Amino acid sequence: MTATTAGSSAWIRRYRPAEQARARLLCLPHAGGSASFYLRFARAFGPEIDVLTVQYPGRQDRWREPCVDSVTGLADALVDEVLPWADRPLALFGHSMGAMVGYELAVRLQGAGSPPLAVFASARRAPSRPRDNPAPIHLRDDRGLIEELRALSGTDVRVFEDEGLLRRALPALRSDYKAAETYRYVPRPPLSAPIHVIVGSEDGRVTPDEARAWADHTEGGFSMETHPGGHFYLTQHLSSVVDTVSSRILAGLLP
């Protein structure tokens, strides 16, 4: 299967196809997120980078499909969908839970002989730095899940005004939180790709030490930058994040 025929995949969205691009960027959503979270992000890149976004099952146009409730399960399902797009240098960008899926996907791509050009880990601690949560969010009742959505401030407020839409979104949210909260890192050789970490200065879900620990997972180089804001700093600083990601991808193409 080629990248062209892969365009019909239920997993991959292209909001701004760039047929002459020198590289591709695959974006992986956070828990409860969908491909459309990256709509503005994708459209902000120049023609040298073809931006792809992942649509997990169980949401939006895939809402009738069963959710995948493990990080490794999502990575396993994605690798064959993504490999056809590796006909050009391919970087990965994951926000929050998406960073963990991106890491596991990078491990699988490297094992398949197509290591990513770079891995961007946004708003997430390193895989080797778990946190114990005595009250897992995925075990909360519906009201508890909705409270978590509000607290993160990453969901369109119109969702909370549409009870039907909100109820439809809850199974995917619960599944994603189960995936994130039950993930257990398995030690393996470091990635050959560089890892670039981006975090919000006021994000209580990742400390600077937890973010810097991503350096232990690569032998290809490491960088970290911090933006003002919380867990969804990305929505406030989209342009500067796009500039950072774009410049690092294009620099990675140099001999």
Side-chain angles (χ1 to χ4, degrees):
M1 183 168 63
T2 66
T4 301
T5 58
S8 60
S9 167
W11 288 85
I12 307 296
R13 302 287 182 273
R14 292 173 85 197
Y15 294 119
R16 185 198 53 78
E19 303 298 345
Q20 305 304 315
R22 299 168 56 201
R24 303 190 198 277
L25 175 66
L26 180 77
C27 300
L28 300 117
H30 55 281
S34 60
S36 61
F37 173 76
Y38 287 111
L39 177 59
R40 290 178 54 239
F41 190 69
R43 289 177 173 171
F45 281 85
E48 292 187 304
I49 299 174
D50 186 26
V51 182
L52 317 172
T53 62
V54 170
Q55 184 77 298
Y56 304 138
R59 64 217 70 204
Q60 292 187 337
D61 56 325
R62 301 188 71 187
W63 74 273
R64 293 182 183 275
E65 300 178 45
C67 299
V68 179
D69 62 1
S70 76
V71 166
T72 53
L74 286 167
D76 287 340
L78 272 168
V79 65
D80 287 338
E81 300 286 340
V82 172
L83 276 170
W85 296 99
D87 58 334
R88 302 176 201 180
L90 176 71
L92 309 178
F93 183 101
H95 184 76
S96 195
M97 182 192 79
M100 309 307 291
V101 179
Y103 168 73
E104 289 291 338
L105 177 58
V107 169
R108 286 154 177 75
L109 291 173
Q110 182 165 300
S114 296
L117 177 68
V119 175
F120 295 89
S122 170
R124 185 69 185 189
R125 59 190 179 273
S128 54
R129 298 294 294 273
R131 287 187 183 183
D132 293 327
N133 184 358
I137 294 169
H138 75 274
L139 296 180
R140 294 180 182 178
D141 60 16
D142 288 352
R143 178 176 295 180
L145 281 178
I146 293 171
E147 288 175 353
E148 175 66 13
L149 273 183
R150 291 185 184 276
L152 284 174
S153 302
T155 302
D156 190 326
V157 294
R158 290 173 294 183
V159 172
F160 299 108
E161 299 169 357
D162 186 329
E163 184 174 350
L165 182 61
L166 188 59
R167 295 297 173 188
R168 183 181 292 183
L170 288 179
L173 180 67
R174 189 180 302 280
S175 175
D176 288 355
Y177 268 102
K178 180 180 179 181
E181 293 177 325
T182 60
Y183 173 75
R184 296 294 179 266
Y185 169 68
V186 176
R188 65 274 297 248
L191 297 176
S192 59
I195 295 179
H196 306 294
V197 174
I198 312 174
V199 295
S201 60
E202 300 163 35
D203 186 358
R205 287 167 172 78
V206 53
T207 68
D209 284 346
E210 289 172 332
R212 280 191 290 268
W214 277 99
D216 298 334
H217 298 277
T218 178
E219 58 185 10
F222 172 80
S223 73
M224 176 175 161
E225 69 176 50
T226 303
H227 290 270
H231 195 62
F232 283 94
Y233 74 90
L234 178 60
T235 58
Q236 300 168 309
H237 303 283
L238 185 143
S239 295
S240 58
V241 174
V242 168
D243 288 344
T244 293
V245 173
S246 181
S247 63
R248 295 198 178 279
I249 289 175
L250 296 179
L253 297 176
L254 296 175

